[in-house]
Amino acid sequence: MTSDAEVWKLQQEIPSDPSIGSGLIQPLLEAMTQFEWEDLDLFRVQLAYEEAITNAIRHGNQLSADKTVQVGMHVDGERLEIEIVDQGPGFDLSKVPDPRDEDRLECPGGRGVLLIHSVMNQVHYSDRGNKVRMIKIKGQRCKADDA
């Protein structure tokens, strides 16, 4: 079991501003580096985080200045978890079209959810669809490794 002294945490409420959302990743990457995570894991976590925070701000909150996003992150030497909650209406994951379908190959956008699932070890959405929890386990393979 890891003690609190061996865990890096961040819990923050941010406005629906993509530049502020993107700025939160750097401290997490620095913490991962301190815990000796591999560069590939840093890259994958940054990619998943950027996709998820963009989805929350742009699609969930519709860039609304009167809505916020809750961001929670923690990492230690073995496990990382990111939770992002927006104030939007949510979405139904089963209704998100597969961007690999022939008629969607040239459509811009729509690849974020697939990408997140490919690079993280676990991804969970709330029933409402306005909260995502992403987990990365140090040294554990993910779907992107099988591609």
Side-chain angles (χ1 to χ4, degrees):
M1 187 97 189
T2 306
S3 73
D4 281 349
E6 299 168 337
V7 176
W8 178 89
K9 296 178 182 180
L10 177 138
Q11 185 71 38
Q12 194 163 344
E13 182 176 20
I14 63 168
S16 296
D17 181 331
S19 65
I20 294 172
S22 292
L24 295 182
I25 191 65
Q26 195 57 43
L28 175 63
L29 298 176
E30 290 169 9
M32 291 175 71
T33 300
Q34 290 296 314
F35 286 115
E36 300 179 351
W37 284 66
E38 298 291 325
D39 288 344
L40 182 58
D41 283 337
L42 272 73
F43 172 76
R44 288 176 171 172
V45 166
Q46 181 173 7
L47 195 60
Y49 172 80
E50 292 286 353
E51 289 294 336
I53 198 71
T54 297
N55 286 348
I57 292 169
R58 290 187 189 280
H59 302 296
N61 286 354
Q62 300 287 307
L63 295 168
S64 178
D66 63 333
K67 293 182 180 176
T68 61
V69 177
Q70 293 284 335
V71 179
M73 304 182 211
H74 70 265
V75 65
D76 60 32
E78 303 300 322
R79 187 174 193 272
L80 169 140
E81 185 171 331
I82 300 171
E83 185 173 275
I84 298 173
V85 184
D86 64 60
Q87 294 180 321
F91 76 106
D92 182 346
L93 182 62
S94 69
K95 294 194 166 123
V96 175
D98 189 332
R100 299 169 294 184
D101 288 346
E102 188 68 33
D103 62 336
R104 309 248 348 132
L105 291 177
E106 295 183 26
C107 293
R111 290 168 179 76
V113 170
L114 178 67
L115 188 65
I116 291 167
H117 281 269
S118 295
V119 300
M120 298 299 279
N121 297 114
Q122 297 174 37
V123 181
H124 307 279
Y125 292 92
S126 64
D127 289 342
R128 182 173 146 196
N130 72 322
K131 175 170 73 172
V132 63
R133 185 168 54 103
M134 304 177 291
I135 297 170
K136 186 81 177 145
I137 308 297
K138 188 176 186 180
Q140 193 174 94
R141 294 174 55 88
C142 59
K143 290 179 186 176
D145 295 323
D146 300 329

